[in-house]
Structure formats: structure tokens, C-alpha cells
Amino acid sequence: MKRWILSKYSKELVNNLAEECDVEPILALIAVARGYTDALALDAFLSCEDDLDDPFALADMDKAAECVNAAIEEGKLIAVYGDYDCDGVTATALLYTHLLSRGANVIYYIPNREDEGYGMNKESVDKLDGRGVGLIITVDNGINANEEIAYARSLGIDVVVTDHHIPAGALPDANAVVDPHRTDDNSEFRDLSGVGVAYKLVCAMENAVPEELLPLYGDLVALGTVADVMPLRGENRIFVREGLMYINDTARIGMAALITVAGLEGKTLRAGNLAFNLGPRINAAGRMGDASRAVKLLCSDNTEEAHMIASEIDAENAARQQIEQQIEKEAIKTIEERGYMHDRVIVCSGSGWHKGIVGIAAARLVERYGKPVIMLSTEGDISVGSGRSVDGFSLFDAINKASDFLIKFGGHELAAGLTVKTEDIERLRDCVNTYARKQPLCAPQLILDCKLRPEALSVELAEELAALEPFGKGNQNPLFGVYSLKIERITPIGNGKHLRMLFSRDGSVIQALMFGKTEENLPYEVGDTVDIAVTLEVNEFRGEKNLSVTIRDIRPSGQSEVDIETVALYSDFIRGFCRDTSPIRPTRDEIGLVYRCCAAPVSRLRVENKLIGRLSAGKILAACDILCELGLISYEKRGDNIILKQVEGVRSDLEKSTILCRLREGDVD
């Protein structure tokens, strides 16, 4: 279940801004809902003409630029020390390319994910020292590499840190440390990606205003920013909007090859293509092998070489998808057999899981279970993993509570990486869940820009929304709630992997697509009344424009916040942490209601849909478990659904249910 949150706005303000800025009211409404509440801010948002901040506003940027420029003049061997994800790869390619153009003596180094893990390590410092490196510049890493940087300095190597991760404590003793998350940083925009910080360094080295160098590097900044899921507001919005122009008319041979293997040649790319087509392929190089190849691709000036590398990376991306599906399948089995889905934070481990892929699997499981997930690959005594979170819950802070026994960790509020002794995994699970139970309940959220009547959905509306692009984190594709719709038809498409659904209300009809959902796993039937959250696009075929409506979420009409709260409360009850069970304790009559719903085989989700508004979701879950415990109903797993059915001829006394007895005690140790 997701919280549907309807954005708040003043109709009077919307109308005034629409008139003053000469824009359609719907654009003014969405912009106001996203915080652009005056004409100047709205004009800047729609035109994307905000100025980029002065690079020297970042703390230590003057020291960093001076140190790098001096190294170039002195002919020192410079190593750009990157990371194996798309942000790190694009940052490495950007800085390496620029240093080459300056005539610098420069190499790049990307640690191997499997052998070295994230960030600097002493072995890599030794390798670089052996090659005669006099300056290491980190990009997208280094802010928490205090020990490794001290070691490099002890060998006589200068170090400049450029990063965007959160400092875990004291800053490293480098020649310069540039990170917008430094507590003493006074720059206006702090949500830069790693490649964004690297770009600011290049601008500072050249004493150039940031807009000046976008024709050279805007494509790389845009790709890394979107792939690292940075919020597309402020400077990032400018970077991506401008960068997309250069990507769509790219002179970068490696970028063109990547676009070709992704099947996007000749198409107008949007931010979504960077997130779901190009970024994953760059990431696949580091997840499945050597990320240095991706840097080589983006720096290549040889068409044949670029297409060869791009084809290799494309094949690895396909292999990555298969491995990811297998890990996800194994994790789901473990989570549901051991009851981890009832934890506030799911911590799951598996032997030999691909360390480069567990993070993606974690993201998929967050979508499935609606709560933070940490996935760990165990190899003997050591386990390496990655976690993903939901808005409002800082996974970094949760993991930081376990810092005393973690070998290594780092990350953001929504994503983190860590290394832990295998014997301490249970300790980690207890620690992050103890922290989570002290925090406000965080459920996945859908922020709706506004409600719309079915008849308001049109090609014209979808075309107007294009003025708000680029879309991504912090500037999501406008999401509209359409309420109280009757399902008229459900049609499987794409070999049954997706659905086309037809809805009606008050004489209006909507056709919409729901991707990644099979008919078997849809807990709704023709005739049900539902609410849908949708995004809109325009598809053009043979010169004719058509409206494409995509369902992002669907729920029974009448679902409330109470249902989300009681589901979480019931999970706490299962785990033994619920003190007040009254919101989830069903009466005899309420248990009877659930029982009667199971006269014919029915999915548990459909039982919830039938009874929403009459019983809280937590009570329905409790009633199902009580009836199953007493043998009055049976359950069978079909795909992602649990199918319930009355067991003929069985009679039992509710008083014999241990679950009901515990619920009645109301105080669980």
C-alpha cells in the first residue's frame, strides 16, 4: 500500500500566476504544488534560465583548482580515481578528458567492484604510487576515505577529494576536500551528483562560468546526474535540460554508440531514457566486469572501438537482468519463509549473490514490500551489500547506528553500501530495526499533482505538460488521480506480461496501460470500483497523435491512511513489538465477514478490496491468519497472490486461536 498525497495549492494563486506568466492553468498548478509560488520563480522554472552557482562557492574549491593546475604545470602524473557506477564513470570520463585537453600527464583508475569494493583502498594507492602518481583526484568518492588518504599523503602523494556523499565524521586530511555536504559549505545548491562536482572543478580550473563549458561536458553531467537519481531541481534541472540537447545531437562517439546499442538511434531522448536505457548499460560494465571499459567508451575517438565496447556492455546488461531476476526470486523465498517482510527494515543475505547486482535487487524489493531493504552477498566470513530506502527514512542514519561493528559503509538517505562480518548480519538486522521502530512510520508515497475528471485526459493536456520536462527525482512526471472508476475490461498484452484496462465513470471512458502486472496478479475484477494514479504521454504513429495513459498505482476506492498504519501495526504485532492491538483486533462478526468472502477461491488482496471501508486492512490480515490457524480456510500461493478458500466440513471455536488470544492480551513483550 502506498500513501496517496494530494498536493496543496491556492486556486487564487494558481490563477493569478497563470495570467501573469501567460501559461496554462494546469502548468501553473503543478509548478505551485512543487514550490514555485511567484512569477519570477515560475518563469525561471519553465524557461530553465536560472544561473548556475559560482564553482568557488563550494568550500575548498579554490584550493582544489590551484592544486590541480599546479600539478599540470609541474608535469606530475595525475590519477583520476573514480567509481564503478554511472555517476563515477561519467565523472571520471569528464575530468580525464579535460585534463588531457590541458596537456596533463594523466591516467584514470576505477576500483574493481568484486575485488576492491567502493572507494579508495591501500592496495590501489600502492599501485598508483608504483606508477609514479603525484596527485590523486577522487571523483564520486573519497569523503570518508580518511585512512586511505592519510596513507597516500604519507607516501608523498597529494590528494584532492571531489565527492557528493555525506561525511560520516571528520573530513579526510587531503590537500582539498570539495563536497557540498560539508557542514561548512556555503554553496546554495547541495544536491549535486559526483559528476556535477567534478564539472564544477573543471570550471574552477578554467575560471569559467559554469554555463560556458556545457557544450563540451553537459552530456556527461546530464547522464551521471539522472543515473544517480539526483533531484532534478535547481542546477541539476539546468544540467539535464541542457545536457539532453547535446546528447540528442551528440558529437561524442562513445555516447552515440551507446545510444545505438540501446535501440534509441534516431529517437528524441528524454531524461527517462538516461535513467532506464543508457545509465543501466554503463552500470552493467562495473557490475559485471571492469568499469574502466565504460570510461574508455565515453572517451573514445574511434568509432569501431566504441561500437565494440558498447556491444559488450549491452550484452552484459542483458546478462545482468537475468542474474538480477534470479537473486530477486531467491530473496523473496528467504524473506517470506523467515518472515522478514514483517520487519521495519528487511535485511536479507544469500551465499554467492553477485555483489554488483544486489543493490538493484534491493530496489525492486523496496517496490514489492514498501519498506527499506538491505541485500547482502555472503562469501565466507565477509558479507558485502547494498540497501535502498523509501522517502522519509534515512538508510544511512540507520546503518550508521551499526557503525561500531561494520567493516565499511557509506551512502545517502535513500541508498547505502556496506561490508559486515557474516556472523554480525543478525546483529545488523536487530540494530537497524531497533532504530526504525523509534522513527515515524514511513510508507512509500505517491505525490499526486491534482485530481482530474476522466474527460479532462487529452492529447492537448499531455502536450502542455512537456514544458515541465525534464522529469525525474524532485521533478516527477506529473501524476494525476482519477477516482471512482468502474473496471469495464481487462486485457492481457505483451505475452501476458502487461495489461490494458478500460474504465468508465459518468459516461466517460478511459483506456490505460499497466506495465509489469499480469492478470493473475491483479487483485481486481471487471465491475470493481477503483482509483488510479496515472501519467500521460503523447504517442505519434503515422502522423496521428494519440494519448497514452499509464497506471502508476491502483487502489480500491475508499482506501484510507488507517489501512496503511494498521498493516504496519500488524507486522509489528507478528514481530512482538505491538503494545496497543485494538486497531488490528477483529471481532467475531468481523472474522465472520472475512470467512464469508472466502466461500469461493479468492485472493487475499481481493478480500481486502471487498472489505476496505468496513474493516481496516490490519484487521483483515489478522482475521485471515486466525481462520487459517484454525483450519477454517486454506491458502495457496499462486504467483504473487495468496488464494484463500473455505475448508468444507471444518468447525472450530475461535477461542482456540492463539493469535486471537495474543491480540486480546493487547500487550505483547
Side-chain angles (χ1 to χ4, degrees):
M1 291 183 176
K2 296 179 181 177
R3 284 194 172 104
W4 288 24
I5 300 175
L6 190 62
S7 298
K8 296 180 180 180
Y9 54 87
S10 161
K11 290 184 179 180
E12 182 180 1
L13 176 60
V14 168
N15 291 333
N16 290 341
L17 280 178
E19 184 176 348
E20 187 174 352
C21 299
D22 192 25
V23 298
E24 294 295 329
I26 188 69
L27 297 186
L29 184 156
I30 293 169
V32 167
R34 297 180 183 192
Y36 301 92
T37 56
D38 62 74
L40 188 63
L42 178 55
D43 277 334
F45 175 70
L46 294 176
S47 63
C48 217
E49 291 178 354
D50 281 337
D51 291 332
L52 293 168
D53 286 351
D54 180 355
F56 290 102
L58 287 158
D60 266 13
M61 184 60 87
D62 53 345
K63 295 179 183 178
E66 183 180 350
C67 185
V68 178
N69 281 331
I72 296 172
E73 291 297 321
E74 295 167 15
K76 284 184 180 180
L77 179 58
I78 302 171
V80 179
Y81 196 110
D83 184 31
Y84 38 66
D85 72 356
C86 187
D87 188 18
V89 164
T90 51
T92 303
L94 188 156
L95 189 53
Y96 174 75
T97 301
H98 182 74
L99 290 171
L100 278 181
S101 75
R102 287 278 305 273
N105 183 17
V106 61
I107 60 174
Y108 59 83
Y109 187 90
I110 306 285
N112 183 279
R113 183 191 289 263
E114 287 290 316
D115 299 332
E116 300 175 81
Y118 171 79
M120 291 182 71
N121 59 81
K122 290 183 179 180
E123 291 75 13
S124 63
V125 172
D126 283 334
K127 290 178 189 176
L128 296 176
D129 181 51
R131 295 183 64 173
V133 167
L135 170 65
I136 295 173
I137 310 172
T138 72
V139 290
D140 194 31
N141 73 95
I143 194 63
N144 294 315
N146 298 48
E147 186 177 334
E148 292 80 4
I149 289 171
Y151 179 64
R153 297 292 300 277
S154 74
L155 297 175
I157 302 173
D158 291 332
V159 181
V160 169
V161 172
T162 73
D163 201 352
H164 73 128
H165 294 93
I166 300 170
L171 297 177
D173 184 23
N175 297 71
V177 179
V178 182
D179 188 321
H181 292 290
R182 285 179 54 157
T183 56
D184 60 344
D185 187 276
N186 295 316
S187 55
E188 290 186 22
F189 188 74
R190 312 192 98 184
D191 288 324
L192 292 168
S193 59
V195 69
V197 178
Y199 176 72
K200 288 291 188 79
L201 172 61
V202 167
C203 293
M205 288 167 54
E206 300 303 315
N207 202 23
V209 295
E211 292 83 357
E212 186 179 338
L213 300 182
L214 283 176
L216 294 176
Y217 305 118
D219 58 340
L220 295 175
V221 180
L223 178 55
T225 297
V226 172
D228 215 43
V229 202
M230 291 292 100
L232 297 192
R233 58 175 178 260
E235 293 195 50
N236 288 341
R237 179 170 163 77
I238 300 170
F239 283 143
V240 175
R241 190 163 183 168
E242 294 295 308
L244 279 168
M245 292 189 342
Y246 301 116
I247 288 175
N248 279 305
D249 188 25
T250 185
R252 195 178 302 277
I253 291 172
M255 189 74 76
L258 191 65
I259 290 168
T260 297
V261 299
L264 299 172
E265 191 174 14
K267 298 180 180 179
T268 300
L269 272 63
R270 294 190 167 103
N273 297 115
L274 307 188
F276 300 112
N277 302 114
L278 303 190
R281 284 171 168 80
I282 293 291
N283 282 327
R287 295 184 193 283
M288 303 297 290
D290 181 9
S292 297
R293 293 167 305 148
V295 179
K296 188 174 183 180
L297 169 67
L298 294 176
C299 297
S300 179
D301 58 4
N302 182 298
T303 302
E304 185 176 345
E305 175 190 66
H307 278 280
M308 181 183 71
I309 298 173
S311 296
E312 288 177 3
I313 289 174
D314 185 57
E316 289 181 345
N317 187 54
R320 183 270 304 168
Q321 290 172 324
Q322 292 182 339
I323 295 171
E324 175 193 330
Q325 290 170 3
Q326 183 58 35
I327 292 174
E328 185 182 355
K329 183 179 178 181
E330 292 176 16
I332 290 170
K333 186 173 185 290
T334 299
I335 289 167
E336 298 189 357
E337 284 181 350
R338 300 183 183 179
Y340 294 156
M341 65 280 193
H342 295 299
D343 290 341
R344 288 288 182 97
V345 179
I346 295 173
V347 179
C348 186
S349 61
S351 177
W353 284 348
H354 197 297
K355 288 183 285 189
I357 297 177
V358 290
I360 312 175
R364 290 192 173 275
L365 293 175
V366 168
E367 181 66 23
R368 180 185 181 92
Y369 293 107
K371 52 183 66 178
V373 176
I374 297 171
M375 296 277 284
L376 294 159
S377 173
T378 64
E379 291 185 6
D381 296 337
I382 302 297
S383 295
V384 178
S386 186
R388 300 293 184 271
S389 191
V390 297
D391 285 327
F393 182 85
S394 175
L395 192 60
F396 179 84
D397 288 348
I399 292 175
N400 193 34
K401 292 295 182 182
S403 59
D404 288 349
F405 60 88
L406 292 179
I407 298 171
K408 198 174 185 180
F409 76 99
H412 312 287
E413 178 177 312
L414 296 178
L418 67 160
T419 303
V420 63
K421 291 180 181 178
T422 302
E423 65 184 23
D424 285 333
I425 291 177
E426 195 61 38
R427 191 178 172 191
L428 171 67
R429 179 179 292 110
D430 290 342
C431 188
V432 296
N433 275 285
T434 298
Y435 170 82
R437 284 191 296 272
K438 296 176 182 177
Q439 307 306 309
L441 176 67
C442 291
Q445 297 180 352
L446 278 184
I447 308 297
L448 302 179
D449 288 282
C450 65
K451 295 180 181 180
L452 286 179
R453 298 185 305 276
E455 59 269 24
L457 306 183
S458 66
V459 169
E460 292 73 24
L461 173 58
E463 288 181 324
E464 290 167 3
L465 299 176
L468 301 171
E469 294 189 34
F471 298 130
K473 180 179 171 59
N475 184 44
Q476 299 292 345
N477 197 335
L479 191 64
F480 304 107
V482 191
Y483 291 73
S484 301
L485 297 171
K486 180 182 177 183
I487 301 177
E488 298 288 352
R489 188 164 64 239
I490 302 171
T491 306
I493 58 173
N495 295 320
K497 296 179 181 178
H498 317 293
L499 297 174
R500 180 185 294 116
M501 302 179 70
L502 193 69
F503 304 92
S504 69
R505 192 184 93 186
D506 300 332
S508 296
V509 174
I510 300 175
Q511 180 174 277
L513 301 176
M514 193 168 190
F515 294 102
K517 181 70 72 174
T518 65
E519 191 172 18
E520 181 185 31
N521 288 334
L522 183 75
Y524 303 97
E525 296 178 357
V526 170
D528 286 350
T529 302
V530 297
D531 305 331
I532 58 175
V534 301
T535 55
L536 309 179
E537 289 184 26
V538 177
N539 286 337
E540 190 166 346
F541 182 69
R542 294 179 180 175
E544 184 177 348
K545 294 179 179 179
N546 297 290
L547 179 67
S548 176
V549 181
T550 301
I551 300 172
R552 301 300 179 185
D553 197 22
I554 184 170
R555 69 178 192 180
S557 289
Q559 184 173 298
S560 70
E561 288 294 299
V562 173
D563 294 305
I564 296 172
E565 300 287 345
T566 59
V567 168
L569 192 60
Y570 188 66
S571 285
D572 284 349
F573 166 76
I574 294 294
R575 281 299 194 212
F577 296 107
C578 174
R579 295 274 173 190
D580 179 13
T581 61
S582 58
I584 56 172
R585 186 168 61 240
T587 65
R588 175 179 292 273
D589 288 343
E590 288 170 336
I591 295 171
L593 274 176
V594 173
Y595 179 72
R596 287 190 291 277
C597 282
C598 303
V602 61
S603 75
R604 189 175 68 186
L605 284 174
R606 181 147 176 77
V607 172
E608 292 177 28
N609 295 340
K610 284 182 177 181
L611 298 178
I612 284 292
R614 300 170 69 185
L615 274 71
S616 72
K619 283 188 176 183
I620 294 169
L621 290 173
C624 287
D625 284 352
I626 290 166
L627 291 166
C628 285
E629 177 192 24
L630 296 174
L632 293 168
I633 62 174
S634 63
Y635 75 90
E636 174 190 352
K637 196 81 183 295
R638 291 184 193 170
D640 289 337
N641 273 329
I642 293 174
I643 305 300
L644 305 172
K645 186 181 183 302
Q646 290 180 9
V647 178
E648 293 183 10
V650 174
R651 296 289 182 270
S652 186
D653 184 356
L654 290 180
E655 301 304 317
K656 295 180 180 178
S657 166
T658 57
I659 296 172
L660 186 57
C661 288
R662 289 179 59 215
L663 284 166
R664 285 174 175 171
E665 289 170 4
D667 187 8
V668 182
D669 294 329

